[in-house]
Amino acid sequence: MNHRNNTFLKTTGAAVVLAVSSAVLTACGGGANVAEPTPLATLESPAYRMQTVWKTDAGEGAGDYVSGFEPVVKGERLYVGNKDGYVMALDLATGRKIWRSRTGDRLISGPSLAGGRLLLGTRDGQVVALSAETGEREWTAALSSEIISAPAATDDTAVARTLDGRLVALDMADGKRRWSIERNVPTLTLRGTSSPVIVGDTVYAGLDNGNVLALDVATGEERWSQTIAFPSGRSELERIVDIDADPLVVNNELYAVSAGGQLASLATTSGRVRWRHELASEKALALDEGNIYAVDRDSVVWAVNRLTGNERWQQDGLEYRKLSGPALLAGDLVVGDYDGYVHWLSADDGRVIARGRPFKEPIRSQPLVVGDRVIVVGAYGEVAALRFTARDER
């Protein structure tokens, strides 16, 4: 195992966190060598130029924490959360603040949005529900440990994943518990979890042991379980197989990727593995009609054929730049990096076709594409709405 990026580990028994920054983790002896971010090559004739439509300071962001903060849009509003306990609603068109709610909680994930409520997770094991209209607290549910990824939600049910291996379903009206299941967590895992995904009457969840579960959303009854990546190697570090990226479900296909080195396509009805491809990632996935796109643990961008699992291309020109997960914009890809740059890549071959820098903060969360705009959130609270235009446009 030779992973070279920010790695945060937890031991579940003693709740000890180890951070190894920008290092090569070697299997024999645990030594570390610094891997420098790849310098950016000059774009001689970029196809597009980036315009910052608006930019605003929305709080403290995630800071240096590994978090599950993600922006979410509903109608003309953009919602963001911060580790300082504030949640904000912004006007999508202008970035103007509509309301700011001071929760007083140590927020670490969210918001997700359903049924007119925003759901956020806290470092103290709570799910906090706020009114999306006003920001007022509607209920709080206490769970067993940190909720480091955003809860999944429908109009009547929320499902939260805790750091200690539990999946808990809550009533969206009042936060009362409907069901809870627990799965064993390996001794050593990465500090991070994937969010559950609810599609129809099924909730899908990727686990730290490399498994994907499909559960009945009403009862928690298991429908199937499938292993994506199997532990291998002699040390606990080598045997890490966490699924920290959210499963991606489209029609009857589910895509999941493990930090242990496997990207897989499963049938949603049975969990049957359609194909596997060797690729280690903790970042969100994206897909179009032909390909699934991933950023691996060295910040190499991959395109993999959705039907066969065969590699289409790799882009290693942004290696070690701690890229965000990719998002699709006008048929191509956008990713953020550790230095506040946003890169636009051709979906045909991975070529970098445009670049911009809205601010000088790391962009860790997957960019959010809304129409022709890209919403990016910085690690320290900057939020920007971007638009890429052809260079000959005025």
Side-chain angles (χ1 to χ4, degrees):
M1 182 174 176
N2 193 19
H3 296 322
R4 293 167 281 187
N5 68 351
N6 276 3
T7 303
F8 294 79
L9 306 174
K10 68 176 183 290
T11 55
T12 56
V16 175
V17 177
L18 169 67
V20 183
S21 181
S22 297
V24 178
L25 302 179
T26 58
C28 51
N33 302 309
V34 173
E36 294 293 334
T38 302
L40 295 178
T42 301
L43 298 180
E44 298 295 343
S45 300
Y48 302 89
R49 57 190 178 90
M50 189 199 81
Q51 295 178 332
T52 300
V53 179
W54 55 258
K55 182 168 61 174
T56 189
D57 183 350
E60 292 189 8
D64 295 326
Y65 286 102
V66 175
S67 79
F69 287 125
E70 300 280 350
V72 64
V73 166
K74 178 68 172 180
E76 298 304 315
R77 292 187 178 188
L78 170 71
Y79 301 93
V80 292
N82 295 277
K83 70 171 185 175
D84 58 5
Y86 285 95
V87 182
M88 296 181 66
L90 304 174
D91 185 279
L92 181 61
T94 65
R96 179 183 58 86
K97 181 177 70 177
I98 298 171
W99 55 253
R100 184 175 76 156
S101 176
R102 183 180 184 273
T103 66
D105 298 296
R106 299 196 301 166
L107 301 178
I108 194 67
S109 66
S112 51
L113 174 61
R117 295 178 178 89
L118 299 169
L119 299 183
L120 299 104
T122 79
R123 296 177 63 200
D124 301 304
Q126 298 170 319
V127 176
V128 176
L130 307 179
S131 164
E133 180 62 29
T134 66
E136 294 180 358
R137 185 187 296 258
E138 297 202 351
W139 51 259
T140 303
L143 306 187
S144 57
S145 69
E146 281 185 271
I147 301 160
I148 206 169
S149 58
T154 66
D155 287 352
D156 60 4
T157 305
V159 180
R161 164 90 185 277
T162 63
L163 204 60
D164 62 359
R166 290 176 171 85
L167 284 163
V168 182
L170 305 171
D171 190 300
M172 277 291 281
D174 54 18
K176 290 183 179 179
R177 188 172 303 199
R178 290 184 169 179
W179 53 259
S180 175
I181 68 163
E182 182 178 2
R183 291 294 184 268
N184 291 332
V185 178
T187 304
L188 192 66
T189 74
L190 299 175
R191 181 173 169 75
T193 61
S194 60
S195 292
V197 176
I198 301 174
V199 179
D201 61 357
T202 304
V203 57
Y204 303 94
L207 307 181
D208 289 337
N209 62 6
N211 286 3
V212 175
L213 286 181
L215 308 173
D216 185 290
V217 73
T219 65
E221 180 181 358
E222 182 177 313
R223 291 182 168 167
W224 53 258
S225 175
Q226 181 61 260
T227 301
I228 299 300
F230 297 88
S232 62
R234 290 174 293 180
S235 72
E236 293 292 340
L237 191 61
E238 290 178 281
R239 296 174 64 80
I240 287 174
V241 291
D242 298 46
I243 299 175
D244 284 349
D246 301 353
L248 191 56
V249 181
V250 179
N251 299 324
N252 64 344
E253 302 168 5
L254 181 148
Y255 299 91
V257 66
S258 165
Q262 293 291 322
L263 169 67
S265 171
L266 310 180
T268 57
T269 52
S270 63
R272 178 182 60 84
V273 177
R274 299 168 65 240
W275 52 256
R276 284 189 175 92
H277 185 92
E278 189 172 338
L279 193 160
S281 178
E282 307 154 51
K283 302 295 185 179
L285 301 168
L287 84 169
D288 58 22
E289 290 185 0
N291 297 326
I292 184 90
Y293 302 97
V295 170
D296 74 16
R297 298 193 66 201
D298 293 336
S299 286
V300 176
V301 186
W302 295 66
V304 175
N305 185 284
R306 278 180 58 180
L307 180 63
T308 65
N310 294 330
E311 177 187 331
R312 297 287 298 272
W313 52 257
Q314 288 185 45
Q315 167 56 268
D316 61 5
L318 304 173
E319 201 168 16
Y320 315 131
R321 295 192 64 87
K322 302 172 191 172
L323 299 182
S324 70
L328 282 166
L329 172 65
D332 292 309
L333 304 175
V334 285
V335 294
D337 77 10
Y338 81 103
D339 208 19
Y341 284 95
V342 176
H343 309 272
W344 192 351
L345 281 63
S346 166
D348 292 332
D349 55 15
R351 214 168 19 92
V352 179
I353 56 178
R355 177 185 302 135
R357 192 186 195 190
F359 42 66
K360 297 180 180 180
E361 296 181 10
I363 300 171
R364 299 188 192 128
S365 61
Q366 185 180 35
L368 176 63
V369 176
V370 184
D372 65 348
R373 295 187 180 184
V374 181
I375 309 298
V376 289
V377 177
Y380 303 105
E382 293 273 14
V383 181
L386 314 175
R387 193 163 72 97
F388 285 87
T389 59
R391 292 198 64 83
D392 56 358
E393 281 188 36
R394 297 186 180 275

